[in-house]
Amino acid sequence: MVHYSGRVQRVGFRYTASSIARYHRVTGWVLNLADGRVQMLVEGERKDVEECLQAIRRYWGERIVDEDFDDREIEGFTEFEIRA
């Protein structure tokens, strides 16, 4: 799981992250948090997950001020979704 901080809400972050995730064939979800961060859970092959997260960093650049990672057990999602 990743928590993104910075200018990551009200800029299309969830939609773009979802598109990037689907392109990289990973599953999971992305969610805006009340404190202004975005939370994202990504599952898949290690290489695909790493490439997905790198693509998100490249796309959003300086809007991402911090990324906080937390390893989780695989939950077995079958698609990538945007959560409200």
Side-chain angles (χ1 to χ4, degrees), residues 8 35 39 49 60-61 76 78:
V8 293
D35 63 6
Q39 184 178 45
V49 170
W60 288 107
T78 59

Side-chain angles (χ1 to χ4, degrees), residues 2-6 8-9 13-14 31-40 66 68:
V2 184
H3 289 91
Y4 293 103
S5 301
V8 293
Q9 288 194 16
F13 191 97
R14 290 180 303 154
L31 168 74
N32 282 346
L33 299 176
D35 63 6
R37 295 179 301 157
V38 171
Q39 184 178 45
M40 186 167 152
D66 188 37
D68 183 30

Side-chain angles (χ1 to χ4, degrees), residues 52-63:
C52 175
L53 296 177
Q54 287 174 359
I56 289 169
R57 273 185 230 111
R58 277 192 309 272
Y59 185 91
W60 288 107
E62 293 179 5
R63 289 187 184 266

Side-chain angles (χ1 to χ4, degrees), residues 8-23 29-32 38-40 56 59-60 80-83:
V8 293
Q9 288 194 16
R10 297 187 171 161
V11 293
F13 191 97
R14 290 180 303 154
Y15 177 79
T16 303
S18 176
S19 294
I20 291 170
R22 289 181 183 126
Y23 176 80
W29 48 263
V30 61
L31 168 74
N32 282 346
V38 171
Q39 184 178 45
M40 186 167 152
I56 289 169
Y59 185 91
W60 288 107
F80 197 91
E81 63 186 49
I82 297 172
R83 292 191 172 175

Side-chain angles (χ1 to χ4, degrees), residues 24-27 42-55 57:
H24 288 281
R25 300 179 189 183
V26 295
T27 60
V42 183
E43 295 182 345
E45 297 293 324
R46 183 179 200 94
K47 177 182 175 228
D48 295 329
V49 170
E50 289 173 359
E51 288 176 358
C52 175
L53 296 177
Q54 287 174 359
R57 273 185 230 111

